[in-house]
Amino acid sequence: MKLVKLFIALLLLPACVAVTLTGWSVARTVLASTVHGGKMIGGAFAAGYGLWLLVFTLLPRPTRTYVLGHELTHAIWALLMGARVGGLRVGKTGGQVRTSKSNWAITLAPYFFPFYAMLFIVLFFIAHMIWGLDRYFWVLFFLVGLGWSFHITFTFVMLLTISQPDVKSQGKIFSAVVIYAMNLLTMLVTTAALAHSVTFFGVGKLLANDLWTAYGWTLDKLWWLWHRLAAYAFRN
């Protein structure tokens, strides 16, 4: 099975390039937009992101908070896929949650799904329905930046310093490719949902074009390489 996942990971490499290009295009569109202050919401996101980097660097790290979000993410994705969940345990050095079934999405979800950023979004919109916070949407982007920075920093630290059974079970290369691509996809979906300057259709169209370009370029280079190898083989 790991060999199959390695093959899938190699097939997904051009998709990683494509989603990176799409992410860059969407970021430029949002920042350049004058609709609902593209620069203001971009600045709010950057401020939240940067604030957490300072906190993460200078203050004691709330590892237990991260572990709680990590295990709850496993639980949420398991529930979404029809599994039964129980036995949640959270400690400073690690945690556990029992699920009746598992797959790559449930296993790797905590590494690409920013639990606290999504929690901030849900709580903000609940507050918005009660009090009407149209003038304070910059606060939402500040909180999303804060939550996303929390997710990225802890994910990097955990992957680089502590052996992760989740990653080992799926294969390191497959996990790396999926985590990278799914992080960017999650960010694209979130941006399309929150920013007024881009739409799901527009993001989807951009991604489709970038996928076509990335896979077209890859196939072209593989075809060129095949001809070169074939020519070399026949000469010898």
Side-chain angles (χ1 to χ4, degrees):
M1 180 58 74
K2 285 189 177 181
L3 284 176
V4 173
K5 287 184 175 178
L6 175 60
F7 179 69
I8 293 172
L10 295 176
L11 288 179
L12 287 175
L13 287 176
C16 290
V17 175
V19 75
T20 303
L21 294 173
T22 303
W24 179 249
S25 298
V26 169
R28 287 190 301 171
T29 299
V30 172
L31 291 175
S33 173
T34 57
V35 180
H36 292 268
K39 286 185 172 60
M40 183 182 73
I41 63 176
F45 180 91
Y49 202 100
L51 176 61
W52 174 255
L53 289 179
L54 286 175
V55 171
F56 188 78
T57 303
L58 302 175
L59 298 178
R61 296 171 183 174
T63 306
R64 195 186 299 270
T65 302
Y66 168 77
V67 173
L68 174 62
H70 184 105
E71 299 305 331
L72 286 175
T73 302
H74 280 309
I76 290 169
W77 279 70
L79 289 170
L80 289 173
M81 296 186 178
R84 295 186 302 277
V85 174
L88 178 64
R89 181 180 60 82
V90 174
K92 192 170 182 179
T93 58
Q96 185 181 40
V97 63
R98 292 196 302 270
T99 61
S100 61
K101 69 176 182 180
S102 185
N103 55 38
W104 69 266
I106 295 171
T107 301
L108 297 179
Y111 305 97
F112 63 75
F113 184 81
F115 176 82
Y116 290 105
M118 296 304 169
L119 179 61
F120 290 149
I121 292 171
V122 171
L123 293 177
F124 183 90
F125 276 102
I126 291 174
H128 178 56
M129 287 187 291
I130 298 171
W131 295 295
L133 301 177
D134 294 284
R135 296 175 58 188
Y136 301 99
F137 263 78
W138 64 270
V139 176
L140 171 61
F141 285 90
F142 175 84
L143 293 173
V144 171
L146 188 75
W148 221 292
S149 186
F150 180 95
H151 164 72
I152 293 295
T153 51
F154 266 109
T155 297
F156 264 113
V157 167
M158 292 300 174
L159 288 175
L160 294 177
T161 62
I162 301 174
S163 179
Q164 298 293 318
D166 295 333
V167 171
K168 281 187 174 181
S169 69
Q170 301 301 310
K172 292 182 179 180
I173 296 177
F174 176 82
S175 296
V177 170
V178 168
I179 289 169
Y180 179 82
M182 290 297 291
N183 265 290
L184 285 175
L185 279 175
T186 304
M187 186 170 282
L188 286 174
V189 170
T190 305
T191 303
L194 298 180
H196 295 274
S197 52
V198 293
T199 63
F200 286 109
F201 178 79
V203 171
K205 185 177 179 181
L206 273 173
L207 181 57
N209 288 336
D210 288 332
L211 284 169
W212 180 265
T213 301
Y215 277 99
W217 183 90
T218 302
L219 289 173
D220 181 63
K221 295 304 177 184
L222 287 175
W223 186 250
W224 174 85
L225 180 61
W226 171 259
H227 275 283
R228 291 295 298 269
L229 291 174
Y232 177 80
F234 280 119
R235 282 201 307 269
N236 295 277

